Amino acid sequence: MTQIHATALVDPAAELHESVQVGAYSLIGPQVRIGAGTVIGPHCVIEGHTTIGEQNRFFQFSSIGAVAQDMSYAGEPAALEIGDRNTIREFCTINLGTAKEDGITRIGSDNWIMAYVHVAHDVRLGSHNVLANGVTLAGHVHLGDWVTIGGLSGVLQFVHIGSQAMVGFQAHVSQDVPPFMTVDGNPLAARAINLTGLRRRGFSNERTAVIRQLHKLLYRSSLTLEQAVEGMTALKGQQAEADGDIDTMLNFLAAAKRGIVR
């Protein structure tokens, strides 16, 4: 049976699995759907056309599914989709999408989202990401998987951050961050590969060595981007387990629209 605190207000049209818990003074709107095992803490507001998966935990004072903080938003249909096993800490704000993209803000699974994080309209957040306290993702930002962003960092609208990247504390991210890289400083600059993260996730020495070569071609060889891409392509087939990593980098660079962090 659903465990709903006596002071919580859950619209009768909302769809909550019988195992969902809703804390004191929380508000759940009519278009909300929440999957099994999800826990909604006290004083949370979940509204809009919001779909939440299983085993998520929302801590107190989060605002989930409010309309976009976009002055051009005119009430068009919009949605928010959140996957499974995400932890969303205190005072987080996650907004619906807008018609400027496909109308949906999407969050994957197994993300660790710390206090005071803002996820704006039309963001695409992959899985296994860590967003430290006070991170702000502006509209249309896309993150891959296994990305870590340090506290009090801001990411400009439309920026893409590739999988396995690490962004340092108090960063101002206004250009795309390629996969596997560590960036920090003011102005922001690429420093090295995200070696600690790769090791934690079981990348072999051979696979990591290829990623080091990608970094060298992109940042340490005085090559144009086109020349670096040619060099990366030539690496394919030399270490079979790293071919997917090379493709990840090549696909990211081909899609980059804001220029990459240098």
Side-chain angles (χ1 to χ4, degrees), residues 138-260:
H140 310 278
V141 166
H142 290 194
L143 268 66
D145 300 328
W146 299 104
V147 174
T148 298
I149 301 183
L152 304 178
S153 294
V155 185
L156 193 68
Q157 57 264 35
F158 297 101
V159 162
H160 291 189
I161 300 178
S163 294
Q164 311 280 354
M166 167 74 183
V167 178
F169 172 70
Q170 280 192 331
H172 170 213
V173 187
S174 59
Q175 293 180 298
D176 293 348
V177 179
F180 313 112
M181 301 299 137
T182 293
V183 299
D184 69 0
N186 185 15
L188 198 68
R191 305 299 179 183
I193 68 169
N194 182 16
L195 184 59
T196 298
L198 298 180
R199 285 176 173 168
R200 287 175 177 171
R201 290 182 280 280
F203 279 56
S204 67
N205 290 336
E206 293 77 14
R207 189 175 174 187
T208 302
V210 173
I211 293 172
R212 287 185 187 276
Q213 292 183 67
L214 299 180
H215 172 263
K216 182 177 180 180
L217 287 165
L218 196 56
Y219 290 108
R220 297 291 183 265
S221 299
S222 299
L223 300 175
T224 65
L225 181 58
E226 292 76 13
Q227 291 169 333
V229 166
E230 290 176 4
M232 293 176 188
T233 304
L235 293 175
K236 294 189 68 174
Q238 297 181 21
Q239 186 60 244
E241 65 174 334
D243 281 354
D245 303 321
I246 296 171
D247 285 336
T248 295
M249 177 65 80
L250 292 174
N251 292 337
F252 183 91
L253 294 175
K257 295 180 179 179
R258 296 195 65 92
I260 63 171

Side-chain angles (χ1 to χ4, degrees), residues 98-113:
T98 69
K100 292 179 180 179
E101 225 166 303
D102 62 2
I104 304 174
T105 301
R106 290 188 175 92
I107 294 178
S109 299
D110 300 294
N111 294 293
W112 186 263
I113 300 176

Side-chain angles (χ1 to χ4, degrees), residues 71-103:
M71 294 178 68
S72 67
Y73 179 72
E76 60 269 19
L80 166 64
E81 296 178 356
I82 297 175
D84 304 324
R85 300 175 303 278
N86 295 289
T87 297
I88 298 172
R89 295 297 307 235
E90 299 84 354
F91 298 98
C92 288
T93 54
I94 304 176
N95 293 164
L96 301 175
T98 69
K100 292 179 180 179
E101 225 166 303
D102 62 2

